[in-house]
Amino acid sequence: MKIERINLYQVSLPMKEGAYAWANQSFAAFDSTIVEIKTDEGVTGVGEICPLGPAYLPAYAEGARTGIVTMAPGLIGKDPTNIGAINLLMDQLLKGHPYVKSAIDVACYDILGKVAGRPVCDLLGGRVQDEVRLFKVVSRADPEAMAERITAYQEQGFNQFQMKVGENADVDIVRIHKVVDKLWEGNRLGADANCGWRQHDAVRVASAVADLSFYLEQPCETYEECRVVREHARQPMILDECMDSLQMVLRGHRERAMDAINLKISRMGGLTKSRVIRDVCASLGIIMTIEDTWCGEIGDAAIAHLAHATPRDLHFQSSTFHEYHTHAIAEGGPVIKDGFMSVSDRPGLGVTPDWDLLGAPIASVGAE
């Protein structure tokens, strides 16, 4: 089997609630890129990459599309089911920029699953969870509005949450108190600053909420700053944005810098490299949130398959981003029920893009 053509599609993902806000950023919609890989045997695969705006991580939508088009000519004629070789080749064609490679890697898994007649989770170690625990994001807003939202989300059946902070330390202290006050007994909450606090403010927040029960996530931009905050905080620490490689995960474990990590598939470069991180964390006993920067049903399917193949006691939680959008970009995405999600046993990712919605490719690379 050989890759015959790589098509790119662009789609905007508007927010149901009007905007999604965290730290000092807010967006009404996100720019997502869909990759379609066509083969000479008629089997196709799809993947998705959707950076959370251009200033969250060293990743942006136009960069993803430019990078994919840059690599695509070198991938034409290669076997997409030989995923290890595809990853080695991508690293030769484009140094760094792992997010650019993620959607191609996922699309190759979609093809391999279809060829093997197995869902992608079976290719990632096998389905060991029938359903995947979700967390619901309480987007940054006024403290009272955030308290009202978490109450509504709990009534919808969710029992794990991530509230967005990091904009203003003094207001964030109020936000955390008010949201924790509305948390039902037995439910779990994380306060995610998304790198938004300076170290001194993060230490001040940690002191002001020392008596409250929640998880503190990525308070500052750098690993070193977060390590200092951990020494002052009484809450368990989740590291996210600075956990960008296997080396950083091993360093964090060695230095006891965190209790959990947030494993984002595109930040690692796709499912192939995320599986390595997942397996190392499992061996070390590090619990994981498994998700991505943002996505629709296609990216959510990739998240769900990796999470389904992760033991429950090591899987902390995951996201389904498509539930925040006004429209679906594919059929067959994860099904959400009572705070959990699950994907079907259909081969590959199990999703069928809405080609009418996606329209014509914005770029197409193939053999002449």
Side-chain angles (χ1 to χ4, degrees):
M1 177 179 288
K2 296 180 180 180
I3 296 175
E4 195 170 64
R5 183 162 294 276
I6 298 176
N7 293 326
L8 295 188
Y9 302 84
Q10 187 275 333
V11 63
S12 179
L13 304 175
M15 300 295 106
K16 287 179 182 177
E17 295 182 351
Y20 182 85
W22 70 98
N24 60 356
Q25 299 188 54
S26 179
F27 285 82
F30 292 105
D31 185 350
S32 188
T33 302
I34 310 303
V35 172
E36 178 192 26
I37 296 179
K38 292 190 170 186
T39 69
D40 61 347
E41 296 185 15
V43 182
T44 64
V46 293
E48 181 179 8
I49 172 62
C50 184
L52 199 64
Y56 167 60
L57 292 174
Y60 66 110
E62 295 86 349
R65 293 190 280 269
T66 299
I68 292 168
V69 170
T70 298
M71 293 189 298
L75 298 172
I76 302 301
K78 305 304 181 183
D79 182 357
T81 67
N82 191 349
I83 300 178
I86 291 291
N87 273 267
L88 289 172
L89 180 56
M90 286 195 291
D91 287 342
Q92 293 169 5
L93 294 169
L94 182 67
K95 189 173 181 63
H97 304 284
Y99 76 103
V100 171
K101 303 163 186 175
S102 181
I104 291 176
D105 177 77
V106 171
C108 288
Y109 268 97
D110 191 24
I111 291 171
L112 179 58
K114 291 173 180 175
V115 171
R118 307 296 301 178
V120 166
C121 61
D122 285 1
L123 310 177
L124 299 172
R127 189 186 296 253
V128 294
Q129 292 196 69
D130 291 330
E131 55 183 6
V132 172
R133 185 181 300 278
L134 297 175
F135 70 92
K136 186 75 171 179
V137 175
V138 183
S139 182
R140 177 180 53 76
D142 292 337
E144 292 292 347
M146 294 178 72
E148 291 175 4
R149 283 180 184 173
I150 196 169
T151 298
Y153 295 157
Q154 287 175 117
E155 292 171 350
Q156 293 172 16
F158 291 93
N159 55 32
Q160 293 200 187
F161 306 91
Q162 182 192 82
M163 63 177 295
K164 292 299 186 182
V165 291
E167 176 200 25
N168 177 289
D170 294 313
V171 179
D172 287 334
I173 292 169
V174 178
R175 287 184 173 110
I176 293 170
H177 274 96
K178 287 189 175 293
V179 172
V180 169
D181 185 60
K182 296 297 183 180
L183 194 67
W184 296 357
E185 185 176 355
N187 288 353
R188 293 183 179 183
L189 172 70
D192 184 8
N194 287 115
C195 308
W197 292 323
R198 297 291 185 183
Q199 181 180 302
H200 68 99
D201 276 333
V203 170
R204 191 160 58 86
V205 173
S207 176
V209 298
D211 60 330
L212 302 181
S213 178
F214 65 96
Y215 291 76
L216 182 60
E217 182 164 349
Q218 194 72 33
C220 304
E221 183 172 3
T222 69
Y223 170 87
E224 290 76 16
E225 290 171 315
C226 292
R227 187 70 186 84
V228 171
V229 177
R230 178 168 172 79
E231 295 173 358
H232 292 81
R234 296 179 60 183
Q235 291 78 21
M237 179 78 78
I238 302 173
L239 291 184
D240 180 359
E241 286 84 359
C242 64
M243 291 289 105
D244 58 1
S245 66
L246 175 59
Q247 289 76 12
M248 284 305 303
V249 172
L250 292 174
R251 180 184 176 187
H253 174 70
R254 183 176 64 251
E255 298 178 1
R256 304 190 181 197
M258 73 282 187
D259 300 284
I261 71 162
N262 192 323
L263 174 55
K264 287 186 165 72
I265 292 171
S266 66
R267 188 173 62 216
M268 299 304 176
L271 289 170
T272 297
K273 294 177 181 177
S274 293
R275 179 182 182 175
V276 173
I277 303 293
R278 189 274 311 269
D279 290 345
V280 168
C281 286
S283 297
L284 297 175
I286 301 171
I287 63 172
M288 294 160 275
T289 294
I290 295 176
E291 56 163 358
D292 213 325
T293 49
W294 201 267
C295 54
E297 285 80 359
I298 299 170
D300 277 343
I303 294 168
H305 280 287
L306 182 59
H308 271 298
T310 302
R312 172 65 62 85
D313 61 337
L314 293 166
H315 174 250
F316 184 44
Q317 56 190 3
S318 286
S319 294
T320 46
F321 296 105
H322 73 264
E323 64 172 324
Y324 298 91
H325 304 156
T326 60
H327 56 253
I329 64 170
E331 179 273 331
V335 175
I336 303 169
K337 183 179 179 182
D338 298 328
F340 288 82
M341 71 170 167
S342 59
V343 287
S344 72
D345 287 325
R346 287 187 290 183
L349 291 176
V351 297
T352 302
D354 184 340
W355 298 114
D356 291 334
L357 174 67
L358 295 180
I362 60 170
S364 183
V365 178
E368 296 298 334

